[in-house]
Amino acid sequence: MLPKTADIVIIGGGINGTSLAYYLAKKGIKNIVILEKNFVCSGATGRCGAGIRQQWGTPENTSLAMEAVKLFETLSEELDWDIEYEQCGYLIPAFTDEFADQFSKNVRMQKKLGLDVSYLTPQEAKDIVPDLCVDNVRAATYCSTDGGGNPLLTTYAYAHRAKELGVKIHTKTEVTDITVSGGNITSVVTDKGTISTPMIFNAAGGHSQEIAAMVDIDLPINSYRHQILVTEPVEHFFDPMIISFDYNIYFRQVKHGSILMGCSDTSEKPGYDTTSTLDFIKDITTRSIKIMPKLKKLNVLRQWAGLYNVTPDAMPIIGDVADVGGYFQAVGFSGHGYMLGPKVATLMAELIADGKRDEIIDRLSLERFKSGNITVDSSVC
Amino acid sequence: MKTDSFDVLVIGGGPAGLCACAELSRCGIKVLLVDEGPVLGGQLVKQTHKFFGSREHYAGVRGIEIPDKLQEEIDEKLITVYSSSTVVGIYPPNNNVLIYRDQKKVEEHSFKYIIIATGASENMILFENNDLPGIYGAGAVQTLMNQYGIIPGKNMLMVGAGNIGLIVSYQLLQAGCRVKKLIEAAPSIGGYLVHASKIIRMGIPVQTSTTILKAIGTEKVEGAITVKLDENWNQIEGTEEEIEVDTICLSVGLAPSYKLAVHAGCKQIFIRELGGMIPWRNSSQETSVNGIYIAGDACGVEEASSAMIEGRLAGLNIAKCMKRLSEKACNEKIDDNLISLDKLRSGPFGERIVEGIRKLEGKSYE
């Protein structure tokens, strides 16, 4: 049964919703309800590429990711649950002079923020991944503390621990409306009933703009299909996640031996379609074997799709808003919600429970789009 | 994209798929048949026992003889067979199909009409050490013995007394193996009496209300522990029994293999009587996706005889859509097959299926 009242209703049972619930509950907030229209981790989190990297193109994304990595380093211990976090590194080769130049600027910015990152020659890149084809590689960047985890285990662990702290999770429950009175949130209407609440947290991932629209907030966000495939498991033969912005692709050999690879299709139109396409398999396999010819021998096991929730600058929108009291959000992660979500959740928990406002919240607020003066992070694929 | 001269793709060359091909080729329709095995026939190629029922349902004929009879019905000029090949995906909206041909190369085709006749796969049950070498599905044992002439072990424990468990137990005896015990979790034997009597006469002890608790062994199976169940299917403490065997054979039911239908976007519904989640279909065997048909165990676990008729129905309904046969002639043939199917399901063993079909027809996939 859906409770009649809550102190806060979190919309979305992915990494953002469950981690926020956990951190809020840990701070002693009671009557937290998570509403999830499908099942926990059924959306973007459970379908993502599972990488955790700090090598970004903007200081905001980089410093947030560095904080996130600190959190991930002790997360299995904190949640007493092995989330399969590993720091296997990220290797980013540049195949054009343009990207090589961009990367050297990125590395300078990242080093200034204290990230242990290197700018490598093609041979140095090949020393890290011997099977990498470096024929056309101009340079590469590498950070050994980047890595990845298991998004499903991470989300389940947060959800499980949150439940132990009293959080109520209602799955198969879809939010259909949100009521506002006198400029403040008053209730959330679902297909299973209505909950009175003074606060909501929009963590609806690929559908965040639809939730925001219910309180007349127009988010500058579009959702795009993003497809991924996984190969058969084979003996471990390379460590880092490899990304190429030239080929618009990333791939990594995960713990049990499968290679996970994904890419964004630049011709994809905004929408909510998550069906798999044949073109994706054809495109990504063609592209990936140019970077690592050895992949040619592998069989594809499965493919699937999820939604990227994309903002104009590829950085998330977090915090509260001026016009609607009690409305909070962590949306528009643009494909990096899993890696940034838990850190953002700790900041949001401090804002909601303690009234403590970290300066990054202002820098990543919805307000930034009003000035029209935004810097786009181009290190996205 | 490859341009194709085929009108219809049939996936699976078992009883349902072969019968579909027979009806299609009789109407002059060009078919591509893709089958994962080296020879056509599906599960029939290992069924050394005789079928029951009436002559029209191949009564008295051994399963292994049926594929040849069915292939005689098919016009060779109209059918192209890819054996040892796998359909790995059907992509909406244009039914683009990926085929892994001869386990060597990938081909892409597009079809207006597809019949999914992929059969079923064996269920697994949970018990300690259930991943030890020496634990087989009964179907796998049948394939090893009857198709490749390999005996999986010497001393067996058979788990499950449905028809497959009973028949495979008998075949194991024929092959010179010892079936030390046959256990069944239900309070009574599920398969036909004629099969059960045969193995009881041969001296195989049958224990009902009994299940497997664990497999014993480190590198391979060396034994098993069984336990009695009470009327609520709870294990009765103190009734554990150890049995020394080198092979454990599981015959605990089948589940429809309908993954390709899901991939193609066919809507599914849950009908317990037909094996759980299955693709929705109408009485023409057509799924919720226009042009995609499904027949045989893939749309509800039943028997080879009914799979054959469903295959024929799918083929005839496609012929009707393609107008390759007069509507009247098509309808007559379809009616004959529907009557034949009803007859097949009219016995006590058909009750569950009939109830399942009744539920299916009462439900829309929306």
Side-chain angles (χ1 to χ4, degrees), chain A residues 4-315:
Chain A
K4 294 232 169 345
T5 62
D7 289 344
I8 180 165
V9 170
I10 296 168
I11 302 166
I15 189 71
N16 285 297
T18 56
S19 61
L20 179 82
Y22 170 77
Y23 292 118
L24 280 178
K26 239 179 79 174
K27 285 183 175 290
I29 301 288
K30 305 277 182 235
N31 301 325
I32 304 167
V33 175
I34 297 179
L35 299 179
E36 162 56 52
K37 78 168 171 181
N38 209 339
F39 52 87
V40 169
C41 216
S42 56
T45 305
R47 297 156 184 262
C48 79
I52 298 168
R53 78 164 140 134
Q54 304 154 93
Q55 301 179 68
W56 291 98
T58 63
E60 286 84 359
N61 270 343
T62 307
S63 51
L64 203 54
M66 286 170 68
E67 290 293 318
V69 162
K70 267 189 227 154
L71 187 152
F72 270 108
E73 281 170 343
T74 56
L75 193 54
S76 288
E77 207 179 315
E78 153 113 32
L79 298 174
D80 193 17
W81 199 303
D82 180 10
I83 61 155
E84 294 182 357
Y85 176 65
E86 51 180 351
Q87 291 181 304
C88 53
Y90 257 61
L91 180 70
I92 313 181
F95 291 85
T96 54
D97 291 335
E98 193 193 335
F99 273 114
D101 289 349
Q102 176 66 43
F103 287 3
S104 96
K105 281 182 205 139
N106 287 356
V107 166
R108 231 173 299 143
M109 177 272 289
Q110 290 157 357
K111 280 194 165 158
K112 221 159 101 186
L113 292 169
L115 185 65
D116 184 9
V117 56
S118 345
Y119 191 74
L120 307 178
T121 63
Q123 186 52 49
E124 286 168 329
K126 202 170 174 68
D127 290 344
I128 295 170
V129 179
D131 289 303
L132 185 75
C133 172
V134 292
D135 293 354
N136 299 309
V137 172
R138 301 285 198 275
T141 68
Y142 178 70
C143 172
S144 67
T145 54
D146 284 350
N150 183 322
L152 294 150
L153 290 175
T154 315
T155 309
Y156 293 151
Y158 272 124
H160 193 83
R161 297 299 172 222
K163 268 191 197 166
E164 284 175 352
L165 295 170
V167 172
K168 293 187 184 64
I169 303 179
H170 290 268
T171 54
K172 293 280 172 197
T173 306
E174 186 169 355
V175 173
T176 52
D177 199 11
I178 298 163
T179 53
V180 179
S181 173
N184 292 305
I185 299 282
T186 52
S187 71
V188 174
V189 185
T190 79
D191 56 352
K192 303 268 166 68
T194 300
I195 308 175
S196 299
T197 180
M199 276 193 281
I200 64 153
F201 182 77
N202 182 357
H207 297 273
S208 66
Q209 60 273 37
E210 295 172 309
I211 297 296
M214 291 176 188
V215 291
D216 293 330
I217 293 171
D218 185 16
L219 292 178
I221 284 179
N222 278 313
S223 289
Y224 294 88
R225 170 167 59 187
H226 180 85
Q227 300 195 64
I228 296 183
L229 65 75
V230 67
T231 71
E232 60 187 323
V234 286
E235 205 173 312
H236 194 80
F237 71 101
F238 69 103
D239 291 325
M241 173 82 94
I242 296 170
I243 336 179
S244 160
F245 303 119
D246 301 274
Y247 286 101
N248 188 20
I249 186 177
Y250 59 85
F251 56 93
R252 174 168 82 103
Q253 187 169 25
V254 296
K255 220 165 186 176
H256 64 273
S258 288
I259 312 235
L260 198 70
M261 58 173 81
C263 68
S264 291
D265 178 354
T266 44
S267 67
E268 193 76 60
K269 303 215 166 25
Y272 301 98
D273 181 10
T274 54
T275 53
S276 300
T277 69
L278 187 51
D279 285 344
F280 162 74
I281 285 213
K282 289 199 276 194
D283 286 353
I284 197 167
T285 47
T286 313
R287 277 187 261 167
S288 61
I289 59 176
K290 284 185 184 144
I291 302 171
M292 192 185 269
K294 204 176 176 179
L295 296 173
K296 203 172 185 169
K297 296 177 189 158
L298 292 176
N299 288 308
V300 175
L301 275 193
R302 281 182 290 130
Q303 66 176 121
W304 65 89
L307 295 174
Y308 265 24
N309 196 230
V310 180
T311 61
D313 57 4
M315 295 198 284

Side-chain angles (χ1 to χ4, degrees), chain B residues 58-357:
Chain B
Y58 296 93
V61 181
R62 293 186 194 278
I64 44 171
E65 294 159 355
I66 297 175
D68 285 342
K69 287 180 183 294
L70 295 178
Q71 283 176 79
E72 281 166 21
E73 284 188 52
I74 303 170
D75 183 344
E76 275 178 23
K77 291 193 289 299
L78 290 168
I79 185 165
T80 303
V81 180
Y82 287 3
S83 48
S84 301
S85 301
T86 314
V87 173
V88 292
I90 303 172
Y91 291 82
N94 300 321
N95 296 343
N96 287 342
V97 174
L98 273 192
I99 303 171
Y100 191 37
R101 190 173 173 187
D102 297 326
Q103 310 300 321
K104 276 195 203 91
K105 59 170 187 172
V106 177
E107 279 184 15
E108 188 189 340
H109 298 259
S110 177
F111 295 92
K112 193 168 175 215
Y113 296 101
I114 297 174
I115 298 176
I116 297 172
T118 42
S121 59
E122 291 188 272
N123 289 339
M124 182 71 191
I125 48 170
L126 282 180
F127 57 89
E128 200 178 324
N129 282 341
N130 72 358
D131 58 350
L132 269 185
I135 300 174
Y136 294 84
V141 165
Q142 234 184 352
T143 304
L144 278 176
M145 291 198 306
N146 302 355
Q147 209 175 342
Y148 297 102
I150 295 166
I151 294 177
K154 288 199 179 82
N155 293 299
M156 327 293 237
L157 169 68
M158 177 67 71
V159 181
N163 273 329
I164 297 176
L166 296 170
I167 291 168
V168 174
S169 293
Y170 186 72
Q171 291 172 352
L172 281 163
L173 292 181
Q174 287 178 313
C177 303
R178 190 166 164 220
V179 181
K180 293 187 90 169
K181 199 186 271 184
L182 190 159
I183 60 171
E184 165 60 53
S188 61
I189 291 173
Y192 293 148
L193 183 64
V194 57
H195 292 312
S197 317
K198 221 160 35 174
I199 67 153
I200 290 166
R201 273 204 307 275
M202 299 292 286
I204 298 178
V206 179
Q207 265 183 19
T208 52
S209 298
T210 305
T211 192
I212 181 168
L213 199 58
K214 73 182 269 191
I216 302 168
T218 44
E219 296 297 311
K220 59 184 180 57
V221 172
E222 287 159 23
I225 294 176
T226 63
V227 66
K228 289 284 229 181
L229 299 175
D230 66 18
E231 60 271 26
N232 298 315
W233 304 72
N234 294 315
Q235 295 170 4
I236 306 169
E237 230 175 288
T239 62
E240 295 85 358
E241 264 182 65
E242 192 173 325
I243 178 168
E244 205 179 304
V245 289
D246 56 26
T247 309
I248 297 167
C249 194
L250 302 174
S251 169
V252 289
L254 300 166
S257 296
Y258 61 91
K259 294 177 196 75
L260 279 173
V262 177
H263 191 194
C266 303
K267 299 275 190 272
Q268 309 151 65
I269 55 169
F270 184 86
I271 295 181
R272 189 190 202 94
E273 290 81 357
L274 300 178
M277 284 302 276
I278 50 159
W280 180 90
R281 67 172 197 274
N282 60 20
S283 57
S284 306
Q285 305 296 134
E286 191 174 15
T287 66
S288 64
V289 176
N290 200 352
I292 297 187
Y293 291 69
I294 192 160
D297 276 1
C299 59
V301 173
E302 215 177 326
E303 286 186 51
S305 327
S306 45
M308 288 189 256
I309 303 174
E310 287 182 352
R312 291 188 192 280
L313 282 169
L316 288 166
N317 279 294
I318 289 175
K320 188 170 155 184
C321 289
M322 292 178 70
K323 300 193 180 3
R324 292 296 178 91
L325 205 62
S326 79
E327 196 166 331
K328 185 166 171 284
C330 259
N331 285 341
E332 273 171 18
K333 285 190 172 201
I334 288 168
D335 285 346
D336 287 349
N337 277 291
L338 286 172
I339 290 165
S340 174
L341 198 54
D342 280 347
K343 222 191 292 176
L344 199 63
R345 289 170 176 158
S346 61
F349 283 94
E351 274 170 23
R352 185 177 52 88
I353 300 294
V354 171
E355 176 61 17
I357 301 283

